[in-house]
Amino acid sequence: MVVMDLDEEATREGENIEEVVNAEESIDDEAVDIHEEEVGDVKDDLVGEILTTIEFLDQISDYRRTQQKECFNLVRRLKILIPFMDEIRGFEFPSPENCMHFLNRLRKVILTARKLLETCNNGSKIFLALDSELIMTRFHSIYEKLNRVLVKTPFDELGISDEVKDEVGSLCKQLKKARRRTDTQDIELAVDMMVMFSKTDPRNADSAIIERLAKKLELQTMEDLKTETIAIKTLVQEKGGLSIETKQHIIELLNKFKKLQGVEATDVLYEPVINKSTSLVLPHEFLCPITLEIMQDPVIIATGQTYEKEGIQKWFDAGHKTCPKTGQTLDHLSLAPNYALKNIILQWCEKNNFKIPEKETSLHSENDSEEQKDEVSLLVEALSSSQLEEQRASVKQMRLLAKENPENRVLIANAGAIPLLVQLLSYPDSGIQENAVTTLLNLSIDETNKKLISDEGAIPDIIEILQNGNREARENSAAALFSLSMLDENKVTIGLSNGIPPLVELLQHGTSRGKKDALTALFNLSLNSANKGRAIDAGIVQPLLQLLKDRNLGMIDEALSILLLLVSHPEGRQAIGQLSFIETLVDFIRQGTPKNKECAASVLLELGSNNSSFILAALQFGVYEYLVDITSSGTNRAQRKANALIQLISKSEQI
């Protein structure tokens, strides 16, 4: 399970649905008849709306690749309700209040599902990939709410047949299973996204990675990029939708894709904005890069960039010490009023008879924020309770809050939860351990929290859970080590703390998800030179070779990617360079997927560049012919590697 920096606030649907008002007992029979007829009309309307919505969703065939599987699964489950709704529509129930309450609740969940599915159908592809963990949380939330509604179905009052009742019962079982499942996302996609957004990783400008991302996200043509630009514009202009960091990440990656197509990089945040009420084109320099609104109190920060004072102050208050637009680390956090720009804005507004909108102060929003702070404060207090059940409930709820959105992660950290959560890692209760390590995993999505967690000495305790915890705790510990290892100093700490052997153990004997979590963490840790030797000493090569043989696991490219890192190490080449492995590489070069061929050719090139005997062995298995094919039909990177191998073969033959 790889977690990313995800920023759209998860949908919060209240569970209290307005109930149909009870008919007064004193009204006469004629009024009752009228009332029942009206209720029947409303019932038919509700059932009709639910059925129409499900049928509409069934017609959608094109979902974003990153959520495609889950979208089709959700629609398939909703379609199970069609016979159920048909039976309700044909039944005159005598107890309208209870049944209408049920239908209203069901309608609300169906509409929430529609909103999510439409987002996955036409939303920004980059955002949905970046936000994949949170989007999955929203799917799980729908499963939970739908199950909660269906288990309270008044079957007897609705006169539902046993056959349909069994179908609904089966659906409830599916929903329970689905909301407990945590799928591991595409590891390579997750790693590539993290590399792209890293300020320190030298591979963040690697054209091969950018090409790979463009292909995976299906953003390889000008038409694709135009559609994506429109989707991003819609996204960033939604109030309260995204954090500044996420906006910058999305636009940064979009521009890298544009450069692949030879298009000049632009910034959708700074393109002219048309004011809807006046049709005036607002000069982009008048807009705050954070709020996307015309600035009323512009201030200059250390990099010389200008922002709305309130917006940049919130950025600093969240713990950031960088410029949102440039990403530069700031020498200081002082703010200087930009009087010149303020005067220009005022003059322009006067000339164009444009009235600056008054700042919206949402009492509801402020109350929600205060309530959230109070809730977090109470949960943090409960973490140190002497009552075991109170601790259990608190850390479980905090786990959910930390997964929900970035604001919660900042709130929880600022409330002092991280030291208490680290203490709970060594608590002699498997449930508390599992929830504590998973909460820290979710909190570590925030870059600042990564350092806070490691500074509290969490890494040795996480490794201990990785060795001895329950299955889910071990898997989430591996994911937590991956997330923390995005900081270079943590790669070193994890290696020195003997964290690599238990990851190798999980890679060899874990579940499919456990193997993927371990594989991801080991890939990131192996970017550190010293950790390559540690991984080899821990026996990583054998389980990697096993992953190459078991194609059903779908981890071939990931395994080859780690092997590519290891073959740069002398001991790695010695451990890897078996004749059977060379034959396997050639087999992937011959008939693997385009990505398989690219990775296998890269590994063989690294091996052959250090020892010509590997090239000679590959020639015995007919590699030359397959390399020639790749030079004309492979990916750009595969073609480069194949050409380099052919040149290497020519040199070997001359010798």
Side-chain angles (χ1 to χ4, degrees):
M1 177 179 58
V2 180
V3 288
M4 312 293 293
D5 182 8
L6 312 173
D7 296 277
E8 183 182 24
E9 187 177 40
T11 305
R12 288 175 166 269
E13 300 291 346
E15 292 304 317
N16 296 322
I17 311 296
E18 183 179 354
E19 295 189 14
V20 178
V21 178
N22 291 329
E24 295 184 15
E25 295 179 1
S26 60
I27 58 179
D28 58 26
D29 293 341
E30 183 180 355
V32 170
D33 291 338
I34 294 172
H35 175 69
E36 288 182 350
E37 183 178 345
E38 290 174 347
V39 167
D41 291 341
V42 174
K43 180 257 299 184
D44 289 342
D45 289 344
L46 285 172
V47 171
E49 185 178 0
I50 291 169
L51 283 169
T52 301
T53 302
I54 295 173
E55 288 164 2
F56 167 76
L57 295 175
D58 190 33
Q59 298 303 310
I60 300 176
S61 59
D62 182 24
Y63 291 106
R64 300 314 190 209
R65 187 171 171 181
T66 42
Q67 282 81 29
Q68 191 176 67
K69 178 181 176 183
E70 204 58 55
C71 288
F72 285 129
N73 282 342
L74 176 54
V75 173
R76 175 177 55 79
R77 288 164 182 144
L78 293 178
K79 286 169 63 180
I80 295 174
L81 295 174
I82 292 177
F84 179 39
M85 289 294 103
D86 285 337
E87 286 202 3
I88 294 177
R89 182 155 52 182
F91 181 75
E92 295 295 334
F93 44 80
S95 181
E97 295 84 359
N98 191 23
C99 299
M100 293 295 292
H101 179 56
F102 161 74
L103 285 173
N104 268 305
R105 294 185 69 203
L106 181 59
R107 168 187 172 274
K108 189 165 186 176
V109 178
I110 299 295
L111 292 180
T112 302
R114 173 174 177 162
K115 183 177 179 182
L116 176 57
L117 289 166
E118 287 180 333
T119 297
C120 294
N121 169 243
N122 55 31
S124 160
K125 294 178 180 179
I126 297 175
F127 169 71
L128 287 169
L130 188 63
D131 205 16
S132 59
E133 279 290 331
L134 188 55
I135 294 294
M136 181 58 72
T137 302
R138 292 174 65 185
F139 276 104
H140 288 182
S141 175
I142 289 170
Y143 295 147
E144 183 174 355
K145 289 170 185 173
L146 185 56
N147 180 64
R148 197 181 301 150
V149 171
L150 292 177
V151 294
K152 294 183 179 179
T153 303
F155 289 113
D156 293 337
E157 295 176 41
L158 291 170
I160 302 301
S161 66
D162 290 341
E163 182 183 355
V164 171
K165 192 185 299 184
D166 289 343
E167 288 178 359
V168 174
S170 175
L171 174 58
C172 288
K173 290 178 182 177
Q174 290 183 40
L175 294 170
K176 284 181 181 179
K177 186 177 179 181
R179 67 189 175 91
R180 285 197 301 264
R181 192 186 71 248
T182 306
D183 287 339
T184 302
Q185 68 184 76
D186 185 326
I187 294 177
E188 184 181 64
L189 176 64
V191 172
D192 284 348
M193 294 282 275
M194 282 196 169
V195 167
M196 282 296 100
F197 302 137
S198 170
K199 300 297 181 185
T200 58
D201 196 315
R203 298 172 298 155
N204 60 15
D206 188 331
S207 60
I209 295 179
I210 299 171
E211 287 176 15
R212 192 159 63 226
L213 277 173
K215 185 175 181 180
K216 284 209 170 198
L217 298 180
E218 297 175 336
L219 292 171
Q220 294 178 287
T221 68
M222 284 305 304
E223 191 60 36
D224 291 338
L225 292 172
K226 285 179 183 177
T227 304
E228 178 68 6
T229 300
I230 293 170
I232 290 173
K233 279 185 177 181
T234 302
L235 180 69
V236 298
Q237 290 171 4
E238 291 177 355
K239 286 186 181 292
L242 299 177
S243 74
I244 309 148
E245 262 183 319
T246 302
K247 291 174 187 174
Q248 296 300 332
H249 283 165
I250 290 171
I251 292 160
E252 177 186 338
L253 190 53
L254 177 65
N255 283 335
K256 287 179 178 179
F257 292 155
K258 285 182 177 180
K259 286 180 180 178
L260 282 181
Q261 301 297 324
V263 179
E264 182 182 354
T266 58
D267 192 336
V268 294
L269 295 181
Y270 297 95
E271 292 178 358
V273 175
I274 299 177
N275 182 269
K276 294 178 182 177
S277 61
T278 65
S279 297
L280 280 173
V281 176
L282 303 179
H284 67 79
E285 61 268 22
F286 290 1
L287 304 177
C288 172
I290 296 173
T291 65
L292 301 181
E293 296 173 352
I294 193 166
M295 288 183 276
Q296 301 180 45
D297 193 5
V299 294
I300 304 171
I301 65 171
T303 56
Q305 300 292 332
T306 296
Y307 299 90
E308 177 67 18
K309 184 177 181 179
E310 183 181 346
I312 192 63
Q313 192 59 60
K314 285 182 179 179
W315 172 260
F316 291 157
D317 291 344
H320 299 289
K321 296 179 181 179
T322 56
C323 173
K325 187 174 178 183
T326 67
Q328 291 175 258
T329 300
L330 300 173
D331 295 331
H332 58 81
L333 303 183
S334 301
L335 304 176
N338 191 335
Y339 293 119
L341 179 59
K342 185 172 184 177
N343 287 333
I344 292 172
I345 291 174
L346 290 173
Q347 290 171 14
W348 182 90
C349 290
E350 185 176 348
K351 179 181 177 181
N352 291 279
N353 197 26
F354 177 82
K355 184 179 179 182
I356 297 179
E358 293 183 8
K359 290 186 178 179
E360 297 179 5
T361 55
S362 172
L363 182 61
H364 178 70
S365 176
E366 289 175 6
N367 288 341
D368 284 350
S369 178
E370 287 304 314
E371 287 177 9
Q372 196 78 317
K373 285 181 182 178
D374 291 341
E375 181 182 2
V376 169
S377 179
L378 290 172
L379 289 175
V380 171
E381 186 178 332
L383 286 180
S384 52
S385 169
S386 59
Q387 301 296 318
L388 181 62
E389 286 305 317
E390 192 173 352
Q391 282 185 311
R392 267 203 196 109
S394 173
V395 71
K396 186 175 182 180
Q397 182 60 26
M398 192 171 288
R399 169 182 177 173
L400 297 174
L401 285 177
K403 188 170 186 177
E404 213 168 74
N405 59 57
E407 289 77 17
N408 285 353
R409 293 172 204 129
V410 174
L411 273 179
I412 291 169
N414 289 345
I418 288 176
L420 296 172
L421 289 165
V422 173
Q423 290 176 22
L424 291 178
L425 292 176
S426 54
Y427 202 89
D429 179 280
S430 61
I432 287 179
Q433 277 189 355
E434 177 193 320
N435 284 316
V437 77
T438 309
T439 304
L440 289 171
L441 162 64
N442 294 335
L443 290 174
S444 71
I445 297 171
D446 184 276
E447 291 300 312
T448 304
N449 287 347
K450 281 182 172 64
K451 184 159 178 54
L452 290 174
I453 292 167
S454 55
D455 286 349
E456 284 296 327
I459 288 175
D461 289 326
I462 292 174
I463 293 171
E464 176 68 24
I465 294 175
L466 175 63
Q467 291 174 309
N468 303 309
N470 63 36
R471 180 185 61 78
E472 187 169 350
R474 293 180 67 210
E475 291 168 352
N476 289 346
S477 294
L481 291 178
F482 165 75
S483 181
L484 293 173
S485 69
M486 294 307 296
L487 298 182
D488 287 339
E489 60 266 32
N490 287 344
K491 289 184 178 72
V492 176
T493 302
I494 293 168
L496 292 174
S497 302
N498 209 29
I500 290 177
L503 284 170
V504 172
E505 169 69 16
L506 186 61
L507 180 66
Q508 190 158 17
H509 301 295
T511 63
S512 177
R513 181 196 153 196
K515 290 177 188 289
K516 289 182 179 181
D517 289 332
L519 198 63
T520 312
L522 287 165
F523 174 86
N524 214 34
L525 289 169
S526 296
L527 295 172
N528 175 277
S529 182
N531 284 340
K532 292 177 186 177
R534 295 187 180 105
I536 293 163
D537 291 341
I540 190 175
V541 172
Q542 201 52 47
L544 287 175
L545 298 182
Q546 190 58 43
L547 289 179
L548 297 182
K549 296 177 183 177
D550 192 348
R551 302 197 180 199
N552 291 329
L553 289 173
M555 300 185 212
I556 291 169
D557 294 335
E558 292 85 351
L560 286 170
S561 296
I562 296 184
L563 288 167
L564 179 58
L565 292 174
L566 299 180
V567 294
S568 64
H569 192 283
E571 291 181 22
R573 288 193 293 274
Q574 184 177 350
I576 293 168
Q578 310 161 16
L579 193 62
S580 60
F581 175 61
I582 301 300
E583 184 176 9
T584 300
L585 280 182
V586 174
D587 189 47
F588 283 124
I589 291 171
R590 177 175 67 89
Q591 61 177 5
T593 65
K595 179 60 183 170
N596 290 166
K597 294 179 180 182
E598 177 186 310
C599 290
S602 299
V603 174
L604 183 58
L605 178 60
E606 185 66 31
L607 283 170
S609 298
N610 288 277
N611 189 330
S612 60
S613 65
F614 293 121
I615 295 293
L616 295 174
L619 286 170
Q620 294 177 29
F621 299 112
V623 75
Y624 187 86
E625 176 188 344
Y626 312 138
L627 291 173
V628 171
D629 288 340
I630 290 176
T631 59
S632 59
S633 61
T635 65
N636 291 342
R637 185 166 180 248
Q639 288 180 18
R640 293 197 298 271
K641 300 298 180 181
N643 282 318
L645 274 166
I646 289 172
Q647 291 177 11
L648 201 59
I649 290 170
S650 298
K651 289 180 182 178
S652 299
E653 290 175 342
Q654 291 173 9
I655 294 172

